[in-house]
Amino acid sequence: MITLSEYLIRSLHERGVRHVFGLPGDFVVGLYDIFERDGRLKPIVMAHEPGAGFAADAYARCKGLGVALITYCVGGLNCVNAVAEAYAEKSPVLIVSGGPGIAERKPNALLHHRVKNFETQRNVFEEVTCKATVLDNPVTAPRQIAETLATIKRLNRPGYLEIPRDLYLAPVSAQPVELPPIPLDAEALEELVAESIEMCNNAERPVLMVGIEVHRLRLAEKVRQLAAKLGARVVTTLEAKGVLPEDETLGVYAGALSSGTHVRQTAEESDCVLMLGAFMTEFNLGVYTAHLDPRRTISVSNEEARIGHHVFPGVALEPYVDALLGARRLLTHSMGATAEQVDHPPVPARDDAITVNALYRLLDKRMDRDHVIVCDVGDCLFAAIGLHIPQETGLLAPANYTSMGFGVPGAIGAELALPEKRPIVLVGDGAFRMTGNELATAVRYKLSPIVIILNNSSFVTLQNVASGPFNDLIAADYRLMLDMYLPGRSFRCHTVGEFLDAFEAAEVRKAPALIDVVIDPQDCSDVLNTFSVELARRAQSSSQVAPSEMTD
């Protein structure tokens, strides 16, 4: 027999987890003490629960599982948005919450942190996780833990475990739990593969589109082999940028937001698009400017497979990729990657005012395999479409759910998961205001992110949608944020030369650094210009719908 806490720690450690992110509170502080004394999983105390959720999400994207350790309701409900992001983007995060003890869960109990009833928090998390469980019985707890972790792994979605605080030390069986294998519809897989081979073999211009699930399921190498076997041109979605080496792809396909006209034409003129693990959201579709013919599209994710209008249930992505790799009848085409030649503007002079386009061009020349880029949303993400990411897991961003605030805490999770990498954070001033105080966490745990703030005193992404004072931010000198904790590691830049000097200084010393890049409020990347026009057009057309049409 071992304790329930020991069983949980062992289960997480066996799955590669070495850190958990959160804040202690009286319903979970006992679990923090147990984790700290055990030593296998290091608790990382964050500044706020949203940061804990974002850090756990980034850790999960790098390691395969991330854990947030939070207290009941006041902590857990603070974390819901970050968990919703992980659910929307298929990131395997486990939320572990302390909770009121079994003996405390009495009718009409006057207990702090409780909302409506003792099930409120679990009920909320049921909406943003694939499985939400209260471990209220030591006899069944090991199986519930095993089933939750298995469901997280199978679906790449977050899960939730709540542990009453008087059961932390409850004895449970130490025996590993054997779970039945996940059923696979072999007939559906065979039919899907046969139709896929026929469609690919009959194509003259096949394209393989790589989605983010290829990374989540650690299938990058297999998909590289499949691309070579098929001989198709390869593009990625925005979320999957960097999942394959970028010299092996044409670039990002996202309709009008694609990384080049050649990329867009290649995908949209293809007579067979094989989409693997891709989310077709309006961002990935370039605000609905994408034009992919569903009759010429094969789309396979870990939850659904489609060829044209045919739907194949019970087929997962990895068995499908394995089957195509082993298929002898799949013909090899000779398309190959033909990168588009891009005419870059002249290299900016040192005295030139820094712009978004100039900043990203300068950064692109200084990135290498020792860096991981962590993007927040807005123009910092749109401009990143043009970056050349040198390796898998080279870019982390909430490109589907697009919640602000991911950048700084995401870098903490990324660096702890990949200690050999140095995070470069790209974050707007609006998002930095939300979670920038997590720099204190980076200082506390001796981490070394380089945080680059695009400081334009504005929610610039929204300006072209609906211009108004609600999009304005008060001007601020963000150097003071890091100076509170680590003086001398902050820089403020108005020109190209100042940025180059600041970045060089930040690279020299392995410690947190902050570069506050002051950008004209009217300046934005070329991609954001295109995006804003399309978003404004859609917002305008939606606002003109008559009340009678809305109720039809």
Side-chain angles (χ1 to χ4, degrees):
M1 302 290 282
I2 60 176
T3 68
L4 193 161
S5 299
E6 289 173 325
Y7 189 92
L8 176 62
I9 290 171
R10 185 183 74 181
S11 299
L12 296 177
H13 190 268
E14 288 173 350
R15 288 161 175 79
V17 178
R18 298 295 181 267
H19 305 85
V20 297
F21 305 88
L23 276 83
D26 58 344
F27 284 109
V28 77
V29 69
L31 205 52
Y32 268 80
D33 183 52
I34 292 169
F35 275 48
E36 194 72 55
R37 286 188 285 107
D38 179 90
R40 281 177 286 181
L41 307 181
K42 173 68 176 174
I44 304 299
V45 178
M46 306 291 289
H48 199 201
E49 282 88 5
F54 289 136
D57 182 0
Y59 193 93
R61 297 176 190 221
C62 298
K63 294 270 285 185
L65 181 63
V67 180
L69 184 60
I70 54 173
T71 195
Y72 183 66
C73 280
V74 292
L77 299 183
N78 261 337
C79 201
V80 168
N81 179 60
V83 179
E85 174 183 274
Y87 187 93
E89 303 207 354
K90 293 191 176 182
S91 184
V93 173
L94 174 66
I95 307 302
V96 178
S97 175
I102 297 298
E104 297 173 295
R105 300 187 184 216
K106 299 175 182 178
N108 302 317
L110 298 176
L111 199 68
H112 67 291
H113 295 346
R114 193 177 70 155
V115 184
K116 187 176 181 180
N117 54 52
F118 289 112
E119 295 299 309
T120 298
Q121 180 172 276
R122 185 192 66 82
N123 291 342
V124 169
F125 273 97
E126 272 196 336
E127 294 296 316
V128 294
T129 63
C130 61
K131 193 174 183 62
T133 304
V134 178
L135 303 179
D136 54 5
N137 186 337
V139 175
T140 59
R143 174 165 287 275
Q144 290 173 314
I145 292 172
E147 288 175 345
T148 299
L149 291 174
T151 305
I152 291 172
K153 179 177 176 58
R154 176 169 58 89
L155 298 179
N156 274 288
R157 304 277 196 185
Y160 171 86
L161 292 174
E162 183 180 318
I163 310 177
R165 59 180 172 180
D166 56 3
L167 294 185
Y168 292 162
L169 300 179
V172 302
S173 171
Q175 296 301 314
V177 175
E178 296 292 333
L179 298 176
I182 304 300
L184 175 68
D185 190 331
E187 291 184 1
L189 176 62
E190 183 178 357
E191 185 176 342
L192 172 65
V193 170
E195 285 196 28
S196 299
I197 291 174
E198 181 180 5
M199 190 169 175
C200 290
N201 287 352
N202 290 334
E204 296 181 358
R205 302 179 303 279
V207 167
L208 193 156
M209 184 180 296
V210 178
I212 192 58
E213 276 193 323
V214 170
H215 170 64
R216 300 283 192 268
L217 297 171
R218 304 302 188 258
L219 297 178
E221 185 53 39
K222 288 185 177 181
V223 170
R224 288 180 73 189
Q225 295 172 20
L226 179 59
K229 179 174 182 174
L230 186 58
R233 289 176 178 163
V234 180
V235 299
T236 74
T237 64
L238 174 56
E239 294 160 318
K241 181 179 173 63
V243 168
L244 296 187
E246 293 205 272
D247 58 358
E248 299 177 15
T249 76
L250 294 184
V252 171
Y253 174 74
L257 307 184
S258 299
S259 53
T261 56
H262 180 58
V263 177
R264 184 178 187 184
Q265 290 173 353
T266 300
E268 295 183 353
E269 294 174 3
S270 171
D271 50 2
C272 177
V273 178
L274 175 57
M275 298 166 52
L276 300 178
F279 304 156
M280 287 297 98
T281 67
E282 83 273 28
F283 271 27
N284 277 337
L285 294 172
V287 201
Y288 301 111
T289 59
H291 297 290
L292 297 175
D293 187 343
R295 296 169 300 175
R296 300 177 176 180
T297 300
I298 304 168
S299 177
V300 183
S301 73
N302 213 37
E303 295 180 22
E304 183 180 76
R306 290 177 177 267
I307 297 184
H309 300 294
H310 296 176
V311 180
F312 299 83
V315 177
L317 182 57
E318 185 167 13
Y320 174 75
V321 172
D322 288 339
L324 284 184
L325 278 174
R328 296 181 178 179
R329 294 187 297 111
L330 185 64
L331 299 180
T332 300
H333 298 72
S334 58
M335 301 293 291
T338 57
E340 184 176 19
Q341 297 298 316
V342 179
D343 293 328
H344 291 292
V347 176
R350 285 183 59 89
D351 292 338
D352 287 350
I354 193 77
T355 65
V356 175
N357 288 333
L359 169 64
Y360 275 70
R361 188 176 177 201
L362 295 169
L363 187 61
D364 197 39
K365 294 180 177 298
R366 285 156 181 79
M367 284 169 36
D368 57 37
R369 299 186 67 84
D370 294 329
H371 293 126
V372 56
I373 303 296
V374 184
C375 270
D376 221 292
V377 300
D379 205 11
C380 51
L381 175 58
F382 291 125
I385 289 177
L387 291 175
H388 295 87
I389 306 300
Q391 77 283 328
E392 187 181 4
T393 321
L395 175 69
L396 301 176
N400 173 19
Y401 188 68
T402 62
S403 175
M404 296 171 68
F406 176 84
V408 178
I412 291 169
E415 187 168 352
L416 289 168
L418 305 171
E420 72 281 6
K421 305 292 185 185
R422 187 164 192 193
I424 298 176
V425 180
L426 297 166
V427 57
D429 48 346
F432 183 78
R433 289 167 185 254
M434 296 181 178
T435 54
N437 202 41
E438 296 295 356
L439 279 170
T441 309
V443 173
R444 175 178 181 177
Y445 294 102
K446 297 180 172 57
L447 303 176
S448 60
I450 300 174
V451 178
I452 301 174
I453 303 174
L454 279 67
N455 183 359
N456 52 20
S457 302
S458 171
F459 292 123
V460 68
T461 306
L462 301 175
Q463 286 287 13
N464 288 343
V465 179
S467 181
F470 39 79
N471 290 324
D472 297 335
L473 298 173
I474 188 171
D477 184 343
Y478 293 103
R479 289 177 298 181
L480 304 177
M481 180 72 80
L482 185 56
D483 281 346
M484 288 193 296
Y485 311 111
L486 192 67
R489 296 294 296 160
S490 298
F491 312 88
R492 188 169 171 87
C493 309
H494 295 82
T495 68
V496 167
E498 289 172 343
F499 172 75
L500 292 174
D501 293 342
F503 190 82
E504 182 179 355
E507 281 272 81
V508 169
R509 180 180 164 201
K510 194 168 184 182
L514 186 151
I515 305 176
D516 184 11
V517 182
V518 181
I519 295 172
D520 188 294
Q522 304 304 314
D523 179 58
C524 65
S525 69
D526 296 335
V527 177
L528 179 54
N529 269 325
T530 302
F531 171 81
S532 297
V533 169
E534 295 296 335
L535 195 63
R537 182 180 59 81
R538 289 192 61 81
Q540 185 177 17
S541 62
S542 298
S543 67
Q544 293 174 349
V545 176
S548 60
E549 295 177 288
M550 296 175 66
T551 57
D552 285 346

